[in-house]
Amino acid sequence: MTTPQLELLWVYFLMLPEGARLQPSFSPSGTVPTSSVLGPVTEGGTPQPSWENATLGEEPGLLSTAGPSPATPSAPGSGPADLFPVLPICVCDLTPGACDLNCCCDRDCYLLHPRTVFSFCLPGSVRSSSWVCVDNSLIFKSNSPFPSRVFMNSNGIKQFCVHVNNSKLNYFQRLQKVNATNFQALAAEFGSKSFTSTSLPQPQLSFYKAGDPILTYFPQWSVVSLLRQPAGVGAGGLCVESNPASFLESKSTTCTRFFKDLASSCTSDPALDAASYYNFTVLKVPRDMTDPQNMKFQVPITLASHASSPLLTGNTCQNVVSQVIYEIETNGTFGIQKVSVSFGQTNLTVEPGVSLQQDFIIHFKAFQWSRAASPGPRSGNPGYIVGKPLLVLTGDTGHSMTLLQSQGDGICSVRRHEIQFGMNAISGCKFRLKEVDCTQLQEEICQTLHGRLRPEHVAIFGNADPAQKGGWTRILSKNCSVSATNCTSCCFIPISLEIQVLWAYIGLQSNPQAHVSGARFLYQYKSIQDSQKGTEVTLTTLVNFVDITQKPQAPRGQPQTDWKLPFDFFFPFKVAFSRGADIQKGSASPICILCLLLLRILNLET
């Protein structure tokens, strides 16, 4: 098409009615509308070029997601691999030094193709593509250099869409070079089907995928099995041994065991013996199953705490396992590197129908090549994520803020509820007043309300570093202990702690980030007499999150261009001929004048 033809096509497009012009639209889910099948689509969701439609100008349009460009990770020991150099920050990377599940932009995962390991990619961890659409009825032929396709929108109207290269939206996109080194890998990932028969067997995966069961090996019996994590089923929460542990999924389960004859089961039941939880090895990777005895692929389980064998002494069964905690260190596709286990043990009284509650915890973390300590898990990156722990600081120690938790009989427990950002909560328990002096009693109750570590600062963002004091703000608080006035036998004790947290969204409306503006402690006190010591009092803790976001004014629409049509030379003639009634009344002078002018021009030419 020549340049004048292009100009005419552009003028034609500008003269279209307003409803038929280019209409950009957005898809919040990150996928393109349902399309009519007019051409092949690549595996990542990017349509192939179609030469049946026309190209249009570049504007932000429909958003779709595709996997990040593959990169080659560095070998272990040579430093972290820069898999995503064009990505300034990975919003789902919440655990420093560890691979976050389904976070396809996490550099700690060391994955060449994240989609082969993860079942899906979290929003924000893959690149985005831009589509510009117009009504398909306006298109006759396409000479677009960009990929294009016809989609069906929600109203059932076909729209012609062009996949434009918008650098502001494609912030994850990297140009890919094809050479002899990566040709086979790209052909395997993006190649289409052919007529060549492939009768070769599929190779077994050489690494664990997220959610895969973890294989174990018992040397004394030469048996390959699975790492079990007993879980409770039914109304009574009875223990079921067949529940397998899943790779990269940190879980905690609780179940109950009932014993008819604990005297005989004390030393014979393997569920009560700590040795049955580490008398095997864990396979580093699921490959080479034909030779599981190869020590190269076996990881022994190390004891992190001392555990004794069960012992029946009189009417008591001692050293019974009540808690099992596995710590598993992984290194991406290199598999499991280290496994440790620690136990909690208790004593049971031999009586008919006695029961035991057991806790099983499996925690995954990244394998540490160096001894440098890494910061704790993040609650957002950078802004807080609703439901994540509220981070606080005591001295130089970072931890999460907690609330009271009660035991089964209502007495205050040493275990505490973790405060989740954005979620109001209240909890309480009973505290038995000890017969000690007032000052010591006040200190003990204050420690019970706050926890072992009293919070001093709260993190402004979810990725705050304890070493950077500027990322924390001081918690406003009065003295927890107050003195009684005009009463020598009275003691004012705090019975309630209210935690108020002010927070707001900041940043772009398309990607707002939650941050904490401030926090304070409010106490309620109660006066008791010395004679009331030894009784029980109810303690209460509650947290209240207050949203103080100031939303901006709604954006105004873009001004429409007022296109002026060219001046019509025949406008006087149209007006003159349209006034037929006036002509009949004798107003024919304009027509006569025009006729005389035309005759004058013809005479001059001749």
Side-chain angles (χ1 to χ4, degrees):
M1 185 180 293
T2 61
T3 301
Q5 291 175 332
L6 287 175
E7 293 178 353
L8 290 176
L9 178 59
W10 179 242
V11 171
Y12 165 73
F13 177 72
L14 294 178
M15 295 179 62
L16 289 175
E18 183 179 358
R21 295 187 185 176
L22 188 66
Q23 298 293 334
S25 57
F26 297 89
S27 175
S29 61
T31 57
V32 295
T34 306
S35 62
S36 58
V37 183
L38 297 179
V41 180
T42 61
E43 183 179 357
T46 304
Q48 297 294 329
S50 172
W51 301 101
E52 302 174 0
N53 307 303
T55 181
L56 295 173
E58 177 176 347
E59 287 186 21
L62 294 173
L63 298 178
S64 64
T65 57
S69 301
T72 303
S74 62
S78 61
D82 191 9
L83 299 180
F84 307 95
V86 299
L87 181 61
I89 190 169
C90 185
V91 295
C92 57
D93 182 11
L94 303 180
T95 309
C99 179
D100 291 272
L101 187 62
N102 297 323
C103 185
C104 294
C105 60
D106 193 345
R107 294 182 175 87
D108 299 317
C109 295
Y110 297 98
L111 298 178
L112 181 63
H113 303 293
R115 291 180 182 270
T116 62
V117 178
F118 298 137
S119 57
F120 65 94
C121 291
L122 290 173
S125 64
V126 293
R127 73 183 180 210
S128 97
S129 301
S130 174
W131 291 85
V132 179
C133 300
V134 72
D135 196 311
N136 187 51
S137 61
L138 304 176
I139 306 303
F140 173 71
K141 186 178 180 181
S142 169
N143 59 351
S144 169
F146 299 102
S148 58
R149 192 168 181 181
V150 176
F151 293 100
M152 189 81 70
N153 63 7
S154 58
N155 298 326
I157 301 176
K158 290 184 178 181
Q159 288 187 326
F160 166 71
C161 300
V162 177
H163 186 191
V164 298
N165 185 16
N166 191 332
S167 59
K168 294 183 179 179
L169 292 178
N170 294 341
Y171 48 89
F172 292 100
Q173 186 174 358
R174 282 176 30 175
L175 297 179
Q176 195 166 230
K177 295 182 179 180
V178 180
N179 49 37
T181 305
N182 60 1
F183 181 83
Q184 293 296 336
L186 295 176
E189 181 177 1
F190 302 104
S192 59
K193 297 181 179 180
S194 64
F195 294 99
T196 305
S197 61
T198 56
S199 59
L200 297 177
Q202 294 294 330
Q204 187 179 9
L205 287 177
S206 59
F207 53 87
Y208 288 110
K209 295 176 61 177
D212 287 350
I214 300 174
L215 301 180
T216 59
Y217 178 70
F218 292 84
Q220 60 270 36
W221 301 300
S222 299
V223 173
V224 176
S225 182
L226 301 177
L227 181 62
R228 308 291 182 178
Q229 186 179 10
V233 296
L238 298 178
C239 291
V240 176
E241 307 290 342
S242 59
N243 182 47
S246 301
F247 184 70
L248 287 183
E249 294 184 4
S250 299
K251 291 182 180 179
S252 175
T253 59
T254 302
C255 62
T256 305
R257 302 183 189 272
F258 294 89
F259 303 93
K260 294 182 179 180
D261 186 7
L262 182 60
S264 60
S265 302
C266 179
T267 55
S268 61
D269 193 341
L272 306 180
D273 190 1
S276 62
Y277 297 98
Y278 63 90
N279 61 347
F280 51 86
T281 60
V282 177
L283 295 187
K284 183 182 299 184
V285 289
R287 64 184 176 187
D288 290 343
M289 293 302 301
T290 57
D291 186 19
Q293 297 182 356
N294 190 348
M295 297 300 297
K296 178 181 178 182
F297 302 104
Q298 296 185 28
V299 179
I301 300 178
T302 59
L303 281 174
S305 63
H306 177 71
S308 303
S309 300
L311 179 63
L312 183 62
T313 305
N315 200 33
T316 303
C317 181
Q318 301 178 354
N319 305 326
V320 174
V321 174
S322 61
Q323 187 181 58
V324 181
I325 302 177
Y326 285 105
E327 289 280 348
I328 303 177
E329 297 187 15
T330 62
N331 185 23
T333 56
F334 294 96
I336 298 173
Q337 304 297 317
K338 183 180 179 181
V339 181
S340 61
V341 62
S342 58
F343 298 95
Q345 293 182 315
T346 185
N347 299 332
L348 291 179
T349 303
V350 178
E351 56 185 8
V354 65
S355 63
L356 171 66
Q357 180 175 301
Q358 291 181 316
D359 299 325
F360 299 92
I361 302 173
I362 296 182
H363 177 65
F364 291 87
K365 64 180 182 179
F367 181 70
Q368 300 293 332
W369 290 100
S370 61
R371 297 295 179 181
S374 60
R378 303 186 184 103
S379 294
N381 193 18
Y384 274 100
I385 298 176
V386 175
K388 290 295 183 179
L390 180 64
L391 303 181
V392 291
L393 190 67
T394 302
D396 294 332
T397 304
H399 55 99
S400 58
M401 191 177 292
T402 56
L403 299 177
L404 290 172
Q405 182 175 347
S406 61
Q407 300 178 0
D409 54 359
I411 300 299
C412 295
S413 173
V414 294
R415 304 179 64 180
R416 298 177 64 86
H417 290 294
E418 197 173 53
I419 293 179
Q420 298 176 342
F421 179 81
M423 304 180 69
N424 299 334
I426 183 173
S427 63
C429 60
K430 295 180 180 179
F431 181 82
R432 184 175 297 275
L433 300 177
K434 299 180 180 179
E435 295 183 359
V436 294
D437 60 279
C438 182
T439 303
Q440 184 176 353
L441 183 61
Q442 289 176 341
E443 292 178 356
E444 187 173 350
I445 295 178
C446 289
Q447 185 177 4
T448 303
L449 292 174
H450 290 287
R452 186 175 59 88
L453 298 176
R454 177 176 178 175
E456 299 174 353
H457 297 79
V458 62
I460 299 177
F461 288 100
N463 62 348
D465 187 359
Q468 302 294 332
K469 301 302 181 182
W472 306 78
T473 180
R474 179 173 293 277
I475 301 175
L476 303 179
S477 173
K478 295 182 179 180
N479 192 1
C480 182
S481 303
V482 295
S483 301
T485 58
N486 302 326
C487 184
T488 57
S489 61
C490 299
C491 180
F492 277 94
I493 59 173
I495 60 171
S496 175
L497 169 62
E498 180 182 359
I499 306 170
Q500 294 182 351
V501 181
L502 303 181
W503 69 279
Y505 280 118
I506 62 173
L508 299 176
Q509 294 189 34
S510 60
N511 186 24
Q513 301 296 317
H515 85 299
V516 173
S517 301
R520 69 174 179 176
F521 293 153
L522 297 178
Y523 302 96
Q524 290 184 4
Y525 301 91
K526 178 181 180 181
S527 176
I528 62 172
Q529 302 291 333
D530 292 340
S531 59
Q532 294 180 276
K533 294 182 179 179
T535 61
E536 293 181 352
V537 64
T538 301
L539 302 182
T540 305
T541 54
L542 61 99
V543 59
N544 185 21
F545 288 88
V546 181
D547 185 3
I548 59 172
T549 303
Q550 295 183 357
K551 297 183 179 180
Q553 296 181 356
R556 299 178 180 177
Q558 295 294 331
Q560 298 293 334
T561 305
D562 186 12
W563 295 100
K564 299 294 185 180
L565 296 175
F567 181 77
D568 194 351
F569 175 78
F570 299 98
F571 178 76
F573 300 96
K574 293 180 180 179
V575 174
F577 285 107
S578 63
R579 297 175 60 184
D582 295 338
I583 295 174
Q584 294 178 0
K585 294 179 181 180
S587 301
S589 59
I591 300 177
C592 297
I593 295 174
L594 292 175
C595 292
L596 292 175
L597 290 174
L598 290 176
L599 292 175
R600 178 68 175 173
I601 295 173
L602 292 176
N603 292 332
L604 291 175
E605 290 180 353
T606 56

